[in-house]
Amino acid sequence: MKNCTSGRCVNFSFFKKHSSSTAGFTLVETLVSLVILSVTLIPILNLSGNITRINASLQDNLVASGLAQEGVEIIRAIRDTNWFNNRAFDYGLSAGAYQVEWNSTTPLSLAGSLPLNINNGLYTYSANSGWIATKFSRTVTITKINAGELQVVSTVTWPGRGGINKNISAELHLFNWK
Amino acid sequence: MTTSKNLKLKTKNYQTGFTIVEVLVSAFVFSIIVIVVGGLFVQILAGERRAFASQKIQENGLFIMELMSREIRVSQIENQNSDCTAQTLTIIHPVNGTVIYSLSLDGILKRTADGVTTDLSSAAVAFSRLNFCIMGSGPTDGQQARVAILASIQNKTGKEIVTANLETAVSSRDVQTEF
């Protein structure tokens, strides 16, 4: 079916074919496809949200590992101080569970799993005004392995997501080598 | 008559559009889905940014804590400050000489070794605090030297400010100074 006037030809059969192939989607088809799309999108977005939460918990790990390291370093400083003062290396470091602050010269007795408080960036057990409780609590456990060796384990515990406690430990073995 | 009626019916069947109610309902359903998914998406985007900021903070925090701890524990500590207000730390490293840690005005951690200053932290994060607690650094005080490093690190970009308050302590490995 061709219509040729003044040398130009228009093929009407082309138009006819075209118009019958553009029947389009029905409303129901469109809605169903939208629902399927959104249903598949939701788990993907959820996954992304999970990654965000995991990242936040990783930041807690970093803070806790610093605090755990502090726990064992303080006990080491006490051992060295004992040497400087001609005392036994384990003077004041009998087996047990303790808490320590950065400037402790002896391990402090453990008062439950007391959380550390923070003020101006410093973590201690001070309960004065201006000190804000953190979620981290630290326990330093000293075990006497033999007469010349102490095992020190510093554990930082904090409540993670869903009420599950998370913890990070640092372990140090101190010898009487001097 | 019959053929013309059939033809008319057929044509009518194919040419029927949506009614206004159908269009309104579909637009309503569509907008609800778009609002829910869009809201979720915006929320995820904000979370993504927070996670990215937190990641930068962690990278910098881990690096500076490790680097400073390693250098401090083998060095002789020059300052003494037991109330955690020291903003710089001067140490004498057996290999690297005099090393000074300080903070620039825009919150970048600087390390000065033998007069040469380098940046330790990236420009993507700002230190809102760098303090040192120093105890027992004197040669005759009968105490092993210990240094607590307090660092608060924040992100520089983004609407939400993420802060990490890091603290660790280092005890000197040198047991010769007070023998």
Side-chain angles (χ1 to χ4, degrees):
Chain A
M1 192 160 62
K2 285 186 178 177
N3 181 13
C4 295
T5 41
S6 62
R8 299 178 67 191
C9 296
V10 179
N11 193 342
F12 282 113
S13 65
F14 167 75
F15 281 111
K16 206 178 173 191
K17 201 181 168 194
H18 185 73
S19 87
S20 70
S21 73
T22 51
F25 307 118
T26 66
L27 194 62
V28 176
E29 282 171 349
T30 318
L31 286 177
V32 167
S33 63
L34 255 179
V35 167
I36 293 174
L37 181 74
S38 51
V39 162
T40 49
L41 264 180
I42 285 168
I44 294 171
L45 296 180
N46 252 340
L47 196 71
S48 181
N50 277 341
I51 292 167
T52 314
R53 279 189 289 276
I54 288 168
N55 208 291
S57 87
L58 286 179
Q59 190 175 314
D60 289 340
N61 282 5
L62 179 65
V63 176
S65 60
L67 291 171
Q69 186 191 342
E70 183 179 73
V72 294
E73 291 287 325
I74 298 313
I75 303 296
R76 175 190 281 270
I78 294 172
R79 191 268 316 251
D80 290 357
T81 300
N82 283 337
W83 277 342
F84 293 161
N85 293 284
N86 299 314
R87 296 190 290 247
F89 87 111
D90 56 354
Y91 176 83
L93 299 175
S94 42
Y98 303 94
Q99 59 189 38
V100 293
E101 292 178 346
W102 83 273
N103 57 357
S104 301
T105 48
T106 50
L108 311 169
S109 66
L110 188 68
S113 58
L114 205 63
L116 286 156
N117 298 328
I118 191 168
N119 188 11
N120 284 325
L122 180 66
Y123 290 83
T124 72
Y125 292 101
S126 169
N128 295 336
S129 69
W131 292 84
I132 302 156
T134 65
K135 56 181 162 184
F136 302 102
S137 51
R138 179 173 58 200
T139 307
V140 177
T141 311
I142 301 174
T143 314
K144 201 162 201 139
I145 290 180
N146 57 50
E149 183 181 358
L150 289 180
Q151 181 200 37
V152 183
V153 180
S154 169
T155 306
V156 174
T157 312
W158 71 100
R161 239 173 78 79
I164 303 158
N165 273 351
K166 301 190 75 179
N167 63 71
I168 274 189
S169 295
E171 183 172 336
L172 174 73
H173 289 253
L174 291 174
F175 297 90
N176 187 20
W177 54 267
K178 195 197 143 200
Chain B
M1 189 62 200
T2 329
T3 32
S4 110
K5 200 182 173 187
N6 278 348
L7 192 72
K8 204 182 168 193
L9 262 177
K10 208 179 170 188
T11 318
K12 203 180 171 188
N13 254 349
Y14 279 111
Q15 297 275 306
T16 309
F18 309 125
T19 67
I20 189 78
V21 176
E22 282 174 340
V23 171
L24 282 178
V25 167
S26 60
F28 180 70
V29 171
F30 178 73
S31 60
I32 285 186
I33 292 175
V34 164
I35 286 170
V36 168
V37 174
L40 208 61
F41 190 72
V42 167
Q43 205 184 317
I44 294 304
L45 218 63
E48 206 71 49
R49 286 193 169 191
R50 193 172 56 233
F52 192 65
S54 169
Q55 193 188 330
K56 286 267 178 233
I57 289 169
Q58 288 171 49
E59 283 168 4
N60 279 277
L62 192 62
F63 174 69
I64 60 113
M65 282 304 198
E66 187 67 27
L67 190 137
M68 289 199 290
S69 299
R70 281 184 180 205
E71 226 166 23
I72 291 168
R73 69 186 179 198
V74 293
S75 301
Q76 192 183 324
I77 317 298
E78 290 296 285
N79 358 11
Q80 175 93 19
N81 186 313
S82 58
D83 53 4
C84 304
T85 51
Q87 294 183 335
T88 62
L89 180 72
T90 308
I91 56 176
I92 297 176
H93 191 272
V95 179
N96 302 335
T98 304
V99 177
I100 303 166
Y101 295 114
S102 61
L103 209 56
S104 72
L105 284 176
D106 52 347
I108 290 179
L109 184 60
K110 305 268 187 186
R111 172 179 178 271
T112 309
D114 275 336
V116 182
T117 305
T118 45
D119 289 1
L120 284 189
S121 64
S122 99
V125 295
F127 279 70
S128 56
R129 174 185 295 108
L130 178 72
N131 286 133
F132 299 98
C133 315
I134 307 143
M135 193 173 120
S137 59
T140 54
D141 56 7
Q143 289 270 345
Q144 177 63 291
R146 57 174 95 161
V147 178
I149 309 164
L150 317 180
S152 298
I153 314 175
Q154 295 181 334
N155 52 318
K156 270 184 175 171
T157 51
K159 256 192 266 176
E160 203 176 342
I161 297 294
V162 182
T163 309
N165 291 306
L166 302 179
E167 172 178 334
T168 198
V170 197
S171 158
S172 172
R173 298 297 189 264
D174 188 357
V175 288
Q176 298 289 333
T177 49
E178 307 207 25
F179 276 16

